[in-house]
């Protein structure tokens, strides 16, 4: 992937929001319906509970509205809406439906790169800013519970529902995006797939093995483009698929897991929402200050991978 051209118009995140369904499903509740246990799920995945319910459009409206409010923006000031989802409510027009409900007057389109989708959407939004957009709303939402086979213990404990959103706004000085990487290897599509109208089928161990490799590879490319070394990264915001994948990727990147944002214990794998949910949690618990370097990195079906390095607040310290 190319490096950012010097002088390209940049942006910073000026607001964010999250939405989770009210219904909590614990591991014990799952164990009551299938041959599994809280002990197994926690030990193998790090998940204790997950949120189930809602629609992709409804959750997106909730997180998107919060992000607009935090940014202090009237809806009419948004120039574009990018909605990342792999579980659309409709074949098309999901972003347009969110645009309508939020009273936006702008272009709106869906992006689907599975669990890498939020970073794909965020990088795309920065591209729109480089081409003249001033304010872009980026939402990552998935309702994976609707495409989960609830009789399959190999997948059912993993997937869940949620949404996260950010507003990015153009800035005069250097923006926040220092480096990015978008990657895909379609030869690995069969190991993690869902037919249209079907449920998720997964070769868990093979996905695990590749996930660590492609996350590390993508993260290293973004850091190289950004001119950033792992020890300078204040916070890694990884896709929340499995705590053991996060641990292995951090180990290989040489970044202590204490510097990773982790919410998988309470959210499960929410695909497009997992990175913005983890980032929002870190922001709200005071883990990020202006000038800090963040490394966002995801992987997912396709298989896809995506990462970017952000300097929080933009500019140079
Ligand atoms: O967004 C990307 C989506 N996907 C992923 O990131 C998934 C990546 N893969 C993984 O996270 C892991 O491979 C899993 C969590 C899916 C599975 O963990 P694992 O350590 O790879 O387990 P395994 O598939 O090797 O299975 C170990 C044992 C098997 O039993 P035997 O053959 O050793 O007797 C499974 O049948 O665990 C059994 N097992 C379970 N036992 C209790 C599989 N699922 C369960 C379960 N409860 N839910």
């Amino acid at each position: 992937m190319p490096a950012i051209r010097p002088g390209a118009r940049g942006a910073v995140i000026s607001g964010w929001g999250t939405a989770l369904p009210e219904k909590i499903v614990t591991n014990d509740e799952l164990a009551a319906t299938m041959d599994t246990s809280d002990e197994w799920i926690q030990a193998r995945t790090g998940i204790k509970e997950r949120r189930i319910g809602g629609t992709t459009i409804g959750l997106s409206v909730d997180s998107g509205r919060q992000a607009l409010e935090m940014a202090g923006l009237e809806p009419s000031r948004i120039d574009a809406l990018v909605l990342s989802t792999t579980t659309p409510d409709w074949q098309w027009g999901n972003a347009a439906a969110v645009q309508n409900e939020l009273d936006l007057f702008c272009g709106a389109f869906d992006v689907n790169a599975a669990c890498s989708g939020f970073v794909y959407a965020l990088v795309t939004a920065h591209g729109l800013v480089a081409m003249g957009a001033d304010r872009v709303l980026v939402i990552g939402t998935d309702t994976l519970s609707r495409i989960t086979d609830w009789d399959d213990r190999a997948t059912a404990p993993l997937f869940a529902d949620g949404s996260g959103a950010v507003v990015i706004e153009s800035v005069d000085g250097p923006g926040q995006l220092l480096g990015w990487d978008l990657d895909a290897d379609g030869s690995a599509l069969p190991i993690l797939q869902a037919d249209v109208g079907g449920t998720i089928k997964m070769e868990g161990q093979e996905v695990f093995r590749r996930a660590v490799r492609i996350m590390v590879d993508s993260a290293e490319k973004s850091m190289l483009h950004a001119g950033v070394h792992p020890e300078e990264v204040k916070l890694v915001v990884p896709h929340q698929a499995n705590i053991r994948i996060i641990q292995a990727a951090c180990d290989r990147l040489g970044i202590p897991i204490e510097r990773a944002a982790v919410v998988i214990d309470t959210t499960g794998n929410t695909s497009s929402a997992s990175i913005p949910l983890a980032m929002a949690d870190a922001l709200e618990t005071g883990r990020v200050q202006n000038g800090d370097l963040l490394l966002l990195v995801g992987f997912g079906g396709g298989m896809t991978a995506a990462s970017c390095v952000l300097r929080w607040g933009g500019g140079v310290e």
Side-chain angles (χ1 to χ4, degrees):
M1 277 294 168
I4 298 166
R5 296 207 173 177
R9 192 161 177 263
V12 295
I13 291 173
S14 58
W16 64 88
T18 60
L20 289 167
E22 276 180 23
K23 185 178 177 189
I24 298 173
V25 177
T26 64
N27 291 343
D28 282 335
E29 286 173 279
L30 278 187
T33 64
M34 67 177 66
D35 183 15
T36 189
S37 66
D38 176 46
E39 190 187 10
W40 191 96
I41 298 170
Q42 281 204 48
R44 300 289 179 126
T45 72
I47 299 169
K48 296 179 181 168
E49 60 186 36
R50 73 282 295 139
R51 301 292 188 103
I52 300 294
T55 63
T56 290
I57 292 169
L59 292 168
S60 300
V61 168
D62 289 349
S63 68
R65 184 171 283 128
Q66 281 175 35
L68 290 176
E69 281 170 9
M70 183 182 290
L73 289 175
E74 290 299 320
S76 60
R77 302 197 65 208
I78 295 294
D79 296 323
L81 164 62
V82 189
L83 170 61
S84 165
T85 185
T86 199
T87 47
D89 294 343
W90 305 99
Q91 195 78 34
W92 57 77
N94 300 277
V98 175
Q99 178 251 27
N100 181 49
E101 289 201 39
L102 288 177
D103 296 321
L104 309 181
F105 298 97
C106 62
F109 58 99
D110 304 351
V111 163
N112 182 352
C115 306
S116 309
F118 181 79
V119 178
Y120 265 79
L122 188 63
V123 170
T124 300
H126 281 85
L128 293 172
V129 169
M131 290 188 292
D134 279 321
R135 288 161 292 273
V136 184
L137 177 59
V138 184
I139 306 178
T141 305
D142 268 303
T143 46
L144 291 175
S145 68
R146 299 188 306 178
I147 60 164
T148 297
D149 177 352
W150 290 100
D151 294 323
D152 176 15
R153 72 173 185 169
T155 54
L158 306 175
F159 301 117
D161 308 331
S163 177
V166 296
V167 172
I168 68 165
E169 294 194 53
S170 64
V171 287
D172 288 334
Q176 64 189 357
L177 184 67
L178 306 187
W180 57 276
D181 174 66
L182 304 181
D183 199 5
D185 175 6
S187 70
L189 177 61
I191 65 172
L192 176 54
Q193 215 174 359
D195 291 338
V196 173
T199 55
I200 301 169
K201 309 285 178 236
M202 182 178 75
E203 293 174 34
Q205 287 185 0
E206 186 57 16
V207 172
F208 192 119
R209 200 176 62 78
R210 284 177 182 255
V212 176
R213 198 175 69 216
I214 64 178
M215 279 175 91
V216 170
D217 182 60
S218 183
E220 285 177 341
K221 285 181 191 156
S222 280
M223 286 191 286
L224 184 70
H225 289 318
V228 161
H229 297 286
E231 58 273 18
E232 297 173 271
V233 172
K234 177 78 185 301
L235 186 76
V236 184
V237 188
H239 171 45
Q240 312 281 306
N242 187 322
I243 191 66
R244 293 186 296 134
I245 293 177
I246 295 173
Q247 176 78 63
C250 283
D251 287 350
R252 290 200 197 174
L253 286 168
I255 300 176
I257 193 167
E258 291 71 29
R259 281 198 261 145
V262 176
V263 293
I264 189 172
D265 50 332
T266 55
T267 64
N269 180 347
T270 56
S271 192
S272 292
S274 87
I275 286 178
L277 285 173
M279 186 167 72
D281 182 74
L283 289 163
E284 283 157 18
T285 51
R287 295 181 68 187
V288 181
Q289 309 301 325
N290 270 351
D292 285 348
L293 292 173
L294 275 61
L295 170 62
L296 278 51
V297 56
F299 72 93
M303 285 185 77
T304 54
S307 61
C308 64
V309 175
L310 304 180
R311 184 184 296 281
W312 192 255
V316 180
E317 261 189 315

